[in-house]
Amino acid sequence: MSVQEYLDKHMLSRKLEDAVNAAVRAKTPDPVLFISNHMKKSVQSVITKVKARQILDSRGIPTVEVDLHTNKGVFRASVPSGDSSGMYEAVELRDGDKGVYLGNGVAKAVKNINDKISEALVGMDPTLQSQIDQAMIDLDKTEKKGELGANAILAVSIAACKAGAAEKEVPLYRHIADLYGKVSPMLPVPAFTVISGGKHAGNNLAIQEIMILPTGANRFVEALQMGTETYHHLKAVITEKYGTHDCNVGESGGFAPNVSSFREALDLVKEAIRRAGYTDKIQIALDVAATNFCIGTRYDLDFKSPQKSGQNFLSAEDMVELYRELCNDFPIVSIEDPFDKEDWEHIKRFSSTGICQVVGDDLLMSNAKRIDRAILEYACNALLLKINQVGTVTEVIEVVKQAKEAHWGVVTSHRCGETIDSFIADLSVGLSVGQIKAGAPCRGERLEKYIQLLRIEEELGDQAVYCGVDWKQ
Ligand code: 2PG
Ligand code: MG
C-alpha cells in the first residue's frame, strides 16, 4: 500500500485535524506533545513482534525473559521456577543437554517463542488476553503445555497482559481486575519468610518456611515496616543464641539457623515479634512442604541431618497432634502442605479440626482438577497459587475464581527461583486475593514484589484498602 493509500484508508488528515482542535480546546502548553499523544491513541495497538532470551533466575538457573513489542511500546516479562514440581502442573521446558547449564538451559523454549509464538501472535490486539492465551494453547496442543513449554507461554502471556494495560492506559492491577470482572482491588497481607528450612536451606530444620503475617497493620506500608523490623529483631535473637553464622539465609531470604525442632524455630520467631512490639499484630504461617520428608507413611524430621539417629520419625497422627500443640502455643493461623501431597486422608482430617487455614500447594499444584477434588472432599481451604504451574494469565484467573467460589483463601506465591518481575504483586491486588508470599523483606527479587505493592498503595491513595484482619477474603 502506498503512503497516500494508507493515509486515505486510515483517514489520517481528519484525525490530525481532530487532534489540532483538541489541543486548542485543551489550551495545552505543549501542542506538539499533545497532538502526538492524541494521534498515538487513535492508532489501534497490535502485537508486532515477540522476542525472547535466556536469562538467569535468583538461583543462577536459566529462565525465560520476553520482550513483547506493540506499535506503542515494548513490554517485558520473565518467569520464575521452583523446587517442587509434580505430574499435574504445566511443563517447564528445559533443554536437558547436560553439557550446557547442567541440562537446565531454556534455549528450546526461547526458540519456540521467537519462531512459533511470535508468528501466531503478530497482529493481535494485546487487550484481548483470553484470545492471546487461547492462541498459544491451540498452538501447543498438549494438555500440560509440554510442546512449547509453560515457561515460554507464561512469559508471553504476562508480557501481553502488561501491553494490554498500557494500551488501555490503566495500571496493570486494574486491567487484571477487568479481566477477572468485578473485583475491587485490595492490597494483600504479605507473608514474609523469616526462617527457611526444608529444601530451601542447608540447616537441619525439616519445615520449609516460617512466615510472619502483619495482619494488625492498617496499611501495606505499615505491614512492610512491621515485617522488616521483626526480621531484624530475629537476626539479633538468632545471633545471641547461636552466633552470626546461623544468620545465613536460605533461597527466599529467611534465616537458616541450625535448630533441631519446629518448636525451637518458632520460639525464636515469637521472641522477635515480642521484641519488635507486635505481639497480637503479627501472626505466623508455616509451609511444612511435608512431601519432602515423607518416607512411606511416616515423616522424617531429621531428613537432612548427616547424623541421623533414625529416631525422629513421626506418624501422620503424631503430626496432627504436633500441629495442634503448635497452634495452641504460637499465633499460627495458616499451615501449608502439612502432609505428603498424596496423603488426602490426613490433610482432610486436619482441615476438619478447623484450627487454622490449611493451604494446598504440592497437594494441588495449582491444577484445576486437583482443586476440584480438594473442594469436593474438603481437603483444604486455601489455594497456593503458583502461576508457572498454570501457564497463562487467563487460566490463573480461572483457578482463582474456582477457589473463591468455594470460599477458600488464596495465597499468591513466588517461587524459590525468582526474577525481578513484579507481576504477582499486581495480580494479587487486581484479583483481591488477600494474601501474598514473596519471601523475606530483603533480596532484590523478593523486594521487587513488596515494593510494587507499596507503589500501588501510594497510587491508590485514599482508595487503597489493605486486607489486614480480613486476609482470608
Ligand atoms: C513453596 C515454594 C515457594 P518452591 O513451596 O511454597 O516458597 O517453593 O518454589 O521451591 O516450590
Ligand atoms: Mg509450598
Side-chain angles (χ1 to χ4, degrees), residues 266-310:
L266 283 161
D267 275 331
L268 300 170
V269 176
K270 192 174 172 184
E271 173 60 8
I273 296 173
R274 190 195 65 76
R275 285 195 196 178
Y278 295 128
T279 303
D280 298 331
K281 286 191 160 187
I282 288 187
Q283 323 282 335
I284 295 176
L286 310 179
D287 179 5
V288 182
T291 303
N292 293 334
F293 56 94
C294 179
I295 317 286
T297 57
R298 296 189 308 158
Y299 293 87
D300 179 6
L301 302 194
D302 268 346
F303 85 107
K304 291 186 294 178
S305 169
Q307 296 101 22
K308 275 182 195 234
S309 62

mmCIF file of all heavy atoms in Angstrom, residues 266-310:
data_model
loop_
_atom_site.group_PDB
_atom_site.id
_atom_site.type_symbol
_atom_site.label_atom_id
_atom_site.label_comp_id
_atom_site.label_asym_id
_atom_site.label_seq_id
_atom_site.Cartn_x
_atom_site.Cartn_y
_atom_site.Cartn_z
ATOM 1 N N LEU A 266 10.186 -21.782 66.129
ATOM 2 C CA LEU A 266 9.039 -20.908 66.418
ATOM 3 C C LEU A 266 9.272 -20.034 67.647
ATOM 4 O O LEU A 266 8.810 -18.895 67.710
ATOM 5 C CB LEU A 266 7.771 -21.754 66.582
ATOM 6 C CG LEU A 266 7.180 -22.239 65.249
ATOM 7 C CD1 LEU A 266 6.239 -23.414 65.463
ATOM 8 C CD2 LEU A 266 6.458 -21.100 64.532
ATOM 9 N N ASP A 267 10.014 -20.584 68.618
ATOM 10 C CA ASP A 267 10.349 -19.785 69.809
ATOM 11 C C ASP A 267 11.132 -18.537 69.411
ATOM 12 O O ASP A 267 10.912 -17.459 69.961
ATOM 13 C CB ASP A 267 11.185 -20.620 70.794
ATOM 14 C CG ASP A 267 10.305 -21.457 71.717
ATOM 15 O OD1 ASP A 267 9.165 -21.036 71.988
ATOM 16 O OD2 ASP A 267 10.753 -22.549 72.141
ATOM 17 N N LEU A 268 12.051 -18.706 68.468
ATOM 18 C CA LEU A 268 12.869 -17.573 68.013
ATOM 19 C C LEU A 268 11.982 -16.499 67.383
ATOM 20 O O LEU A 268 12.127 -15.304 67.635
ATOM 21 C CB LEU A 268 13.905 -18.036 66.978
ATOM 22 C CG LEU A 268 14.920 -19.085 67.421
ATOM 23 C CD1 LEU A 268 15.709 -19.607 66.223
ATOM 24 C CD2 LEU A 268 15.877 -18.503 68.462
ATOM 25 N N VAL A 269 11.048 -16.950 66.560
ATOM 26 C CA VAL A 269 10.170 -16.002 65.853
ATOM 27 C C VAL A 269 9.251 -15.288 66.838
ATOM 28 O O VAL A 269 9.055 -14.066 66.768
ATOM 29 C CB VAL A 269 9.350 -16.751 64.765
ATOM 30 C CG1 VAL A 269 8.362 -15.814 64.083
ATOM 31 C CG2 VAL A 269 10.286 -17.366 63.730
ATOM 32 N N LYS A 270 8.735 -16.051 67.782
ATOM 33 C CA LYS A 270 7.836 -15.463 68.788
ATOM 34 C C LYS A 270 8.574 -14.379 69.584
ATOM 35 O O LYS A 270 8.038 -13.298 69.838
ATOM 36 C CB LYS A 270 7.343 -16.569 69.720
ATOM 37 C CG LYS A 270 6.195 -16.163 70.621
ATOM 38 C CD LYS A 270 5.699 -17.375 71.384
ATOM 39 C CE LYS A 270 4.680 -17.011 72.437
ATOM 40 N NZ LYS A 270 4.268 -18.180 73.232
ATOM 41 N N GLU A 271 9.820 -14.684 69.926
ATOM 42 C CA GLU A 271 10.618 -13.714 70.692
ATOM 43 C C GLU A 271 10.892 -12.455 69.857
ATOM 44 O O GLU A 271 10.827 -11.336 70.358
ATOM 45 C CB GLU A 271 11.935 -14.391 71.131
ATOM 46 C CG GLU A 271 12.959 -13.479 71.790
ATOM 47 C CD GLU A 271 12.466 -12.789 73.068
ATOM 48 O OE1 GLU A 271 11.370 -13.112 73.572
ATOM 49 O OE2 GLU A 271 13.193 -11.881 73.545
ATOM 50 N N ALA A 272 11.163 -12.654 68.564
ATOM 51 C CA ALA A 272 11.420 -11.489 67.688
ATOM 52 C C ALA A 272 10.168 -10.615 67.580
ATOM 53 O O ALA A 272 10.252 -9.377 67.621
ATOM 54 C CB ALA A 272 11.854 -11.967 66.304
ATOM 55 N N ILE A 273 9.015 -11.239 67.463
ATOM 56 C CA ILE A 273 7.753 -10.472 67.374
ATOM 57 C C ILE A 273 7.551 -9.687 68.673
ATOM 58 O O ILE A 273 7.173 -8.511 68.662
ATOM 59 C CB ILE A 273 6.547 -11.420 67.113
ATOM 60 C CG1 ILE A 273 6.683 -12.107 65.749
ATOM 61 C CG2 ILE A 273 5.220 -10.660 67.208
ATOM 62 C CD1 ILE A 273 5.641 -13.196 65.469
ATOM 63 N N ARG A 274 7.865 -10.344 69.795
ATOM 64 C CA ARG A 274 7.699 -9.675 71.094
ATOM 65 C C ARG A 274 8.633 -8.471 71.189
ATOM 66 O O ARG A 274 8.210 -7.365 71.533
ATOM 67 C CB ARG A 274 7.982 -10.666 72.232
ATOM 68 C CG ARG A 274 7.603 -10.156 73.623
ATOM 69 C CD ARG A 274 8.221 -10.991 74.733
ATOM 70 N NE ARG A 274 9.687 -10.926 74.780
ATOM 71 C CZ ARG A 274 10.386 -9.895 75.245
ATOM 72 N NH1 ARG A 274 9.777 -8.821 75.711
ATOM 73 N NH2 ARG A 274 11.714 -9.922 75.232
ATOM 74 N N ARG A 275 9.904 -8.682 70.828
ATOM 75 C CA ARG A 275 10.873 -7.585 70.924
ATOM 76 C C ARG A 275 10.490 -6.427 70.002
ATOM 77 O O ARG A 275 10.740 -5.270 70.320
ATOM 78 C CB ARG A 275 12.273 -8.064 70.544
ATOM 79 C CG ARG A 275 12.903 -8.889 71.616
ATOM 80 C CD ARG A 275 14.384 -9.005 71.345
ATOM 81 N NE ARG A 275 14.966 -10.085 72.117
ATOM 82 C CZ ARG A 275 16.235 -10.456 72.055
ATOM 83 N NH1 ARG A 275 17.057 -9.831 71.237
ATOM 84 N NH2 ARG A 275 16.701 -11.435 72.790
ATOM 85 N N ALA A 276 9.916 -6.758 68.870
ATOM 86 C CA ALA A 276 9.534 -5.702 67.918
ATOM 87 C C ALA A 276 8.291 -4.959 68.401
ATOM 88 O O ALA A 276 7.945 -3.902 67.878
ATOM 89 C CB ALA A 276 9.281 -6.314 66.541
ATOM 90 N N GLY A 277 7.615 -5.538 69.406
ATOM 91 C CA GLY A 277 6.417 -4.887 69.967
ATOM 92 C C GLY A 277 5.153 -5.180 69.175
ATOM 93 O O GLY A 277 4.192 -4.411 69.233
ATOM 94 N N TYR A 278 5.138 -6.310 68.439
ATOM 95 C CA TYR A 278 3.966 -6.587 67.597
ATOM 96 C C TYR A 278 3.183 -7.838 68.005
ATOM 97 O O TYR A 278 2.448 -8.397 67.187
ATOM 98 C CB TYR A 278 4.403 -6.700 66.127
ATOM 99 C CG TYR A 278 4.945 -5.410 65.573
ATOM 100 C CD1 TYR A 278 6.181 -5.364 64.927
ATOM 101 C CD2 TYR A 278 4.229 -4.213 65.710
ATOM 102 C CE1 TYR A 278 6.687 -4.174 64.419
ATOM 103 C CE2 TYR A 278 4.727 -3.017 65.207
ATOM 104 C CZ TYR A 278 5.956 -3.010 64.571
ATOM 105 O OH TYR A 278 6.445 -1.827 64.074
ATOM 106 N N THR A 279 3.340 -8.272 69.270
ATOM 107 C CA THR A 279 2.547 -9.411 69.723
ATOM 108 C C THR A 279 1.078 -9.042 69.504
ATOM 109 O O THR A 279 0.684 -7.911 69.753
ATOM 110 C CB THR A 279 2.827 -9.667 71.226
ATOM 111 O OG1 THR A 279 4.236 -9.868 71.356
ATOM 112 C CG2 THR A 279 2.081 -10.883 71.760
ATOM 113 N N ASP A 280 0.292 -9.961 69.006
ATOM 114 C CA ASP A 280 -1.131 -9.772 68.651
ATOM 115 C C ASP A 280 -1.342 -9.036 67.319
ATOM 116 O O ASP A 280 -2.448 -8.996 66.808
ATOM 117 C CB ASP A 280 -1.925 -8.998 69.725
ATOM 118 C CG ASP A 280 -1.946 -9.752 71.035
ATOM 119 O OD1 ASP A 280 -1.876 -11.004 70.973
ATOM 120 O OD2 ASP A 280 -2.000 -9.113 72.090
ATOM 121 N N LYS A 281 -0.294 -8.439 66.778
ATOM 122 C CA LYS A 281 -0.476 -7.749 65.488
ATOM 123 C C LYS A 281 0.158 -8.524 64.335
ATOM 124 O O LYS A 281 -0.106 -8.255 63.179
ATOM 125 C CB LYS A 281 0.154 -6.361 65.539
ATOM 126 C CG LYS A 281 -0.655 -5.374 66.350
ATOM 127 C CD LYS A 281 -0.110 -3.990 66.133
ATOM 128 C CE LYS A 281 -1.156 -2.959 66.503
ATOM 129 N NZ LYS A 281 -0.724 -1.623 66.153
ATOM 130 N N ILE A 282 1.042 -9.449 64.714
ATOM 131 C CA ILE A 282 1.671 -10.293 63.685
ATOM 132 C C ILE A 282 1.343 -11.753 63.984
ATOM 133 O O ILE A 282 1.510 -12.218 65.110
ATOM 134 C CB ILE A 282 3.209 -10.080 63.658
ATOM 135 C CG1 ILE A 282 3.529 -8.709 63.057
ATOM 136 C CG2 ILE A 282 3.901 -11.181 62.872
ATOM 137 C CD1 ILE A 282 5.011 -8.442 62.827
ATOM 138 N N GLN A 283 0.845 -12.453 62.974
ATOM 139 C CA GLN A 283 0.533 -13.884 63.115
ATOM 140 C C GLN A 283 1.606 -14.693 62.367
ATOM 141 O O GLN A 283 2.402 -14.127 61.617
ATOM 142 C CB GLN A 283 -0.823 -14.210 62.504
ATOM 143 C CG GLN A 283 -1.889 -13.167 62.677
ATOM 144 C CD GLN A 283 -2.493 -13.178 64.065
ATOM 145 O OE1 GLN A 283 -2.471 -14.210 64.741
ATOM 146 N NE2 GLN A 283 -3.004 -12.043 64.504
ATOM 147 N N ILE A 284 1.553 -15.991 62.566
ATOM 148 C CA ILE A 284 2.570 -16.864 61.948
ATOM 149 C C ILE A 284 1.914 -17.850 60.968
ATOM 150 O O ILE A 284 0.808 -18.343 61.219
ATOM 151 C CB ILE A 284 3.343 -17.634 63.050
ATOM 152 C CG1 ILE A 284 4.145 -16.640 63.913
ATOM 153 C CG2 ILE A 284 4.263 -18.697 62.455
ATOM 154 C CD1 ILE A 284 4.875 -17.274 65.092
ATOM 155 N N ALA A 285 2.621 -18.101 59.872
ATOM 156 C CA ALA A 285 2.177 -19.137 58.914
ATOM 157 C C ALA A 285 3.349 -20.082 58.662
ATOM 158 O O ALA A 285 4.506 -19.672 58.718
ATOM 159 C CB ALA A 285 1.740 -18.493 57.608
ATOM 160 N N LEU A 286 3.024 -21.341 58.397
ATOM 161 C CA LEU A 286 4.072 -22.337 58.104
ATOM 162 C C LEU A 286 3.868 -22.925 56.721
ATOM 163 O O LEU A 286 2.724 -23.136 56.297
ATOM 164 C CB LEU A 286 4.005 -23.514 59.094
ATOM 165 C CG LEU A 286 3.939 -23.230 60.594
ATOM 166 C CD1 LEU A 286 3.846 -24.565 61.351
ATOM 167 C CD2 LEU A 286 5.158 -22.443 61.034
ATOM 168 N N ASP A 287 4.971 -23.155 56.005
ATOM 169 C CA ASP A 287 4.905 -24.037 54.842
ATOM 170 C C ASP A 287 5.755 -25.241 55.205
ATOM 171 O O ASP A 287 6.994 -25.174 55.193
ATOM 172 C CB ASP A 287 5.438 -23.348 53.573
ATOM 173 C CG ASP A 287 5.386 -24.305 52.372
ATOM 174 O OD1 ASP A 287 4.864 -25.424 52.534
ATOM 175 O OD2 ASP A 287 5.861 -23.928 51.284
ATOM 176 N N VAL A 288 5.073 -26.319 55.569
ATOM 177 C CA VAL A 288 5.794 -27.511 56.024
ATOM 178 C C VAL A 288 6.439 -28.227 54.821
ATOM 179 O O VAL A 288 7.513 -28.799 54.937
ATOM 180 C CB VAL A 288 4.841 -28.468 56.783
ATOM 181 C CG1 VAL A 288 5.603 -29.684 57.311
ATOM 182 C CG2 VAL A 288 4.150 -27.729 57.928
ATOM 183 N N ALA A 289 5.783 -28.164 53.662
ATOM 184 C CA ALA A 289 6.257 -28.876 52.464
ATOM 185 C C ALA A 289 6.601 -30.324 52.837
ATOM 186 O O ALA A 289 7.687 -30.837 52.551
ATOM 187 C CB ALA A 289 7.458 -28.160 51.834
ATOM 188 N N ALA A 290 5.637 -30.977 53.491
ATOM 189 C CA ALA A 290 5.881 -32.281 54.122
ATOM 190 C C ALA A 290 6.189 -33.397 53.127
ATOM 191 O O ALA A 290 6.769 -34.422 53.512
ATOM 192 C CB ALA A 290 4.679 -32.661 54.984
ATOM 193 N N THR A 291 5.847 -33.201 51.857
ATOM 194 C CA THR A 291 6.155 -34.228 50.851
ATOM 195 C C THR A 291 7.660 -34.513 50.814
ATOM 196 O O THR A 291 8.078 -35.652 50.589
ATOM 197 C CB THR A 291 5.694 -33.738 49.449
ATOM 198 O OG1 THR A 291 4.299 -33.441 49.542
ATOM 199 C CG2 THR A 291 5.937 -34.777 48.370
ATOM 200 N N ASN A 292 8.433 -33.475 51.091
ATOM 201 C CA ASN A 292 9.896 -33.614 51.020
ATOM 202 C C ASN A 292 10.472 -34.559 52.064
ATOM 203 O O ASN A 292 11.597 -35.031 51.921
ATOM 204 C CB ASN A 292 10.575 -32.245 51.203
ATOM 205 C CG ASN A 292 10.298 -31.325 50.042
ATOM 206 O OD1 ASN A 292 10.049 -31.800 48.940
ATOM 207 N ND2 ASN A 292 10.341 -30.034 50.277
ATOM 208 N N PHE A 293 9.735 -34.786 53.140
ATOM 209 C CA PHE A 293 10.302 -35.687 54.166
ATOM 210 C C PHE A 293 9.335 -36.794 54.577
ATOM 211 O O PHE A 293 9.423 -37.338 55.671
ATOM 212 C CB PHE A 293 10.847 -34.899 55.371
ATOM 213 C CG PHE A 293 9.875 -33.983 56.060
ATOM 214 C CD1 PHE A 293 9.163 -34.412 57.167
ATOM 215 C CD2 PHE A 293 9.691 -32.681 55.608
ATOM 216 C CE1 PHE A 293 8.290 -33.565 57.824
ATOM 217 C CE2 PHE A 293 8.815 -31.825 56.245
ATOM 218 C CZ PHE A 293 8.109 -32.264 57.361
ATOM 219 N N CYS A 294 8.438 -37.129 53.669
ATOM 220 C CA CYS A 294 7.537 -38.249 53.937
ATOM 221 C C CYS A 294 8.186 -39.509 53.372
ATOM 222 O O CYS A 294 8.513 -39.583 52.183
ATOM 223 C CB CYS A 294 6.190 -37.994 53.263
ATOM 224 S SG CYS A 294 5.051 -39.345 53.547
ATOM 225 N N ILE A 295 8.408 -40.467 54.259
ATOM 226 C CA ILE A 295 9.000 -41.748 53.831
ATOM 227 C C ILE A 295 7.913 -42.795 54.078
ATOM 228 O O ILE A 295 7.617 -43.102 55.237
ATOM 229 C CB ILE A 295 10.246 -42.118 54.672
ATOM 230 C CG1 ILE A 295 11.156 -40.908 54.916
ATOM 231 C CG2 ILE A 295 10.999 -43.318 54.081
ATOM 232 C CD1 ILE A 295 11.973 -40.436 53.763
ATOM 233 N N GLY A 296 7.330 -43.310 53.016
ATOM 234 C CA GLY A 296 6.220 -44.254 53.191
ATOM 235 C C GLY A 296 5.068 -43.548 53.866
ATOM 236 O O GLY A 296 4.520 -42.594 53.317
ATOM 237 N N THR A 297 4.733 -43.982 55.077
ATOM 238 C CA THR A 297 3.627 -43.323 55.776
ATOM 239 C C THR A 297 4.134 -42.477 56.932
ATOM 240 O O THR A 297 3.350 -41.960 57.717
ATOM 241 C CB THR A 297 2.641 -44.377 56.342
ATOM 242 O OG1 THR A 297 3.393 -45.246 57.199
ATOM 243 C CG2 THR A 297 1.966 -45.161 55.245
ATOM 244 N N ARG A 298 5.457 -42.352 57.059
ATOM 245 C CA ARG A 298 5.993 -41.603 58.204
ATOM 246 C C ARG A 298 6.771 -40.376 57.751
ATOM 247 O O ARG A 298 7.210 -40.278 56.610
ATOM 248 C CB ARG A 298 6.877 -42.529 59.034
ATOM 249 C CG ARG A 298 6.056 -43.678 59.625
ATOM 250 C CD ARG A 298 6.845 -44.473 60.611
ATOM 251 N NE ARG A 298 8.141 -44.915 60.084
ATOM 252 C CZ ARG A 298 9.168 -45.249 60.852
ATOM 253 N NH1 ARG A 298 9.057 -45.177 62.167
ATOM 254 N NH2 ARG A 298 10.303 -45.659 60.325
ATOM 255 N N TYR A 299 6.933 -39.485 58.697
ATOM 256 C CA TYR A 299 7.602 -38.217 58.391
ATOM 257 C C TYR A 299 8.942 -38.149 59.120
ATOM 258 O O TYR A 299 8.989 -38.250 60.353
ATOM 259 C CB TYR A 299 6.682 -37.039 58.781
ATOM 260 C CG TYR A 299 5.464 -37.012 57.881
ATOM 261 C CD1 TYR A 299 4.324 -37.765 58.183
ATOM 262 C CD2 TYR A 299 5.480 -36.290 56.692
ATOM 263 C CE1 TYR A 299 3.230 -37.785 57.331
ATOM 264 C CE2 TYR A 299 4.388 -36.301 55.829
ATOM 265 C CZ TYR A 299 3.270 -37.051 56.155
ATOM 266 O OH TYR A 299 2.199 -37.073 55.293
ATOM 267 N N ASP A 300 10.017 -37.987 58.344
ATOM 268 C CA ASP A 300 11.375 -38.000 58.895
ATOM 269 C C ASP A 300 11.836 -36.569 59.173
ATOM 270 O O ASP A 300 12.310 -35.873 58.275
ATOM 271 C CB ASP A 300 12.309 -38.674 57.875
ATOM 272 C CG ASP A 300 13.749 -38.712 58.376
ATOM 273 O OD1 ASP A 300 13.992 -38.318 59.540
ATOM 274 O OD2 ASP A 300 14.623 -39.134 57.585
ATOM 275 N N LEU A 301 11.689 -36.147 60.413
ATOM 276 C CA LEU A 301 12.034 -34.767 60.763
ATOM 277 C C LEU A 301 13.544 -34.520 60.701
ATOM 278 O O LEU A 301 13.987 -33.388 60.747
ATOM 279 C CB LEU A 301 11.500 -34.404 62.163
ATOM 280 C CG LEU A 301 9.991 -34.534 62.360
ATOM 281 C CD1 LEU A 301 9.561 -33.839 63.647
ATOM 282 C CD2 LEU A 301 9.200 -33.968 61.197
ATOM 283 N N ASP A 302 14.320 -35.579 60.609
ATOM 284 C CA ASP A 302 15.783 -35.453 60.501
ATOM 285 C C ASP A 302 16.265 -35.681 59.071
ATOM 286 O O ASP A 302 17.413 -36.054 58.852
ATOM 287 C CB ASP A 302 16.454 -36.538 61.376
ATOM 288 C CG ASP A 302 16.741 -36.018 62.770
ATOM 289 O OD1 ASP A 302 16.682 -34.790 62.966
ATOM 290 O OD2 ASP A 302 16.984 -36.860 63.657
ATOM 291 N N PHE A 303 15.391 -35.430 58.098
ATOM 292 C CA PHE A 303 15.726 -35.903 56.745
ATOM 293 C C PHE A 303 16.991 -35.289 56.159
ATOM 294 O O PHE A 303 17.603 -35.843 55.269
ATOM 295 C CB PHE A 303 14.526 -35.752 55.798
ATOM 296 C CG PHE A 303 14.348 -34.403 55.132
ATOM 297 C CD1 PHE A 303 14.631 -34.236 53.776
ATOM 298 C CD2 PHE A 303 13.855 -33.315 55.839
ATOM 299 C CE1 PHE A 303 14.438 -33.010 53.152
ATOM 300 C CE2 PHE A 303 13.660 -32.094 55.217
ATOM 301 C CZ PHE A 303 13.953 -31.938 53.869
ATOM 302 N N LYS A 304 17.419 -34.147 56.699
ATOM 303 C CA LYS A 304 18.635 -33.536 56.146
ATOM 304 C C LYS A 304 19.865 -33.759 57.028
ATOM 305 O O LYS A 304 20.961 -33.356 56.668
ATOM 306 C CB LYS A 304 18.419 -32.027 55.984
ATOM 307 C CG LYS A 304 17.430 -31.676 54.896
ATOM 308 C CD LYS A 304 17.374 -30.174 54.677
ATOM 309 C CE LYS A 304 16.812 -29.469 55.874
ATOM 310 N NZ LYS A 304 16.779 -28.011 55.710
ATOM 311 N N SER A 305 19.642 -34.351 58.184
ATOM 312 C CA SER A 305 20.742 -34.452 59.133
ATOM 313 C C SER A 305 21.766 -35.507 58.722
ATOM 314 O O SER A 305 21.410 -36.653 58.423
ATOM 315 C CB SER A 305 20.178 -34.792 60.514
ATOM 316 O OG SER A 305 21.237 -35.139 61.360
ATOM 317 N N PRO A 306 23.058 -35.146 58.723
ATOM 318 C CA PRO A 306 24.073 -36.145 58.366
ATOM 319 C C PRO A 306 24.208 -37.212 59.451
ATOM 320 O O PRO A 306 24.574 -38.356 59.182
ATOM 321 C CB PRO A 306 25.363 -35.330 58.241
ATOM 322 C CG PRO A 306 25.096 -33.987 58.834
ATOM 323 C CD PRO A 306 23.613 -33.832 59.002
ATOM 324 N N GLN A 307 23.899 -36.799 60.717
ATOM 325 C CA GLN A 307 23.993 -37.809 61.795
ATOM 326 C C GLN A 307 22.597 -38.255 62.219
ATOM 327 O O GLN A 307 22.173 -38.038 63.353
ATOM 328 C CB GLN A 307 24.689 -37.245 63.042
ATOM 329 C CG GLN A 307 26.111 -36.840 62.867
ATOM 330 C CD GLN A 307 26.251 -35.333 62.706
ATOM 331 O OE1 GLN A 307 25.401 -34.550 63.105
ATOM 332 N NE2 GLN A 307 27.356 -34.926 62.111
ATOM 333 N N LYS A 308 21.875 -38.846 61.302
ATOM 334 C CA LYS A 308 20.518 -39.286 61.609
ATOM 335 C C LYS A 308 20.511 -40.327 62.718
ATOM 336 O O LYS A 308 21.266 -41.293 62.651
ATOM 337 C CB LYS A 308 19.922 -39.971 60.385
ATOM 338 C CG LYS A 308 19.306 -39.048 59.397
ATOM 339 C CD LYS A 308 18.735 -39.930 58.310
ATOM 340 C CE LYS A 308 18.416 -39.089 57.096
ATOM 341 N NZ LYS A 308 17.082 -39.253 56.669
ATOM 342 N N SER A 309 19.637 -40.125 63.670
ATOM 343 C CA SER A 309 19.543 -41.138 64.717
ATOM 344 C C SER A 309 18.556 -42.219 64.287
ATOM 345 O O SER A 309 18.526 -43.314 64.810
ATOM 346 C CB SER A 309 19.050 -40.492 66.011
ATOM 347 O OG SER A 309 17.754 -39.973 65.786
ATOM 348 N N GLY A 310 17.707 -41.849 63.299
ATOM 349 C CA GLY A 310 16.666 -42.791 62.895
ATOM 350 C C GLY A 310 15.509 -42.779 63.880
ATOM 351 O O GLY A 310 14.566 -43.555 63.761
#
